Amino acid sequence: MAKRATNKRLSRADWLEAALAMVVDVGVERIRVHQLAARMNATTGSLYWHFEDRDGLIRALMDYWEKESTDKVA
């Protein structure tokens, strides 16, 4: 994954896309906030701005994946 520009503010969708890529690489059970933030060249605070905690990220990720997958089929 490409490193983000240092002046670009990360969106919720940016985090979800990165988390989805990490699921492909390591599996959902191995997603760690610090490792995801490092992949994004960002702080964990940026992630926590959009998600309450890791579980919130995973719930949002599953919703995002379901919406993206079913919308493209429908």
Side-chain angles (χ1 to χ4, degrees):
M1 167 176 252
K3 297 286 185 178
R4 72 176 180 91
T6 56
N7 60 351
K8 181 181 180 275
R9 197 168 281 210
L10 293 172
S11 69
R12 181 179 176 93
D14 292 329
W15 283 106
L16 291 170
E17 284 291 325
L20 191 55
M22 193 169 184
V23 167
V24 170
D25 291 345
V26 301
V28 71
E29 67 282 349
R30 296 195 59 205
I31 289 181
R32 300 293 178 262
V33 170
H34 286 87
Q35 292 171 340
L36 181 58
R39 281 182 173 222
M40 297 291 291
N41 195 27
T43 65
T44 57
S46 175
L47 181 137
Y48 289 126
W49 179 259
H50 299 287
F51 307 98
E52 184 177 339
D53 54 18
R54 180 188 177 278
D55 289 340
L57 168 67
I58 300 302
R59 282 191 303 274
L61 179 59
M62 296 301 107
D63 291 343
Y64 178 76
W65 176 82
E66 179 181 29
K67 182 180 185 304
E68 289 296 306
S69 296
T70 58
D71 284 352
K72 290 179 182 176
V73 173

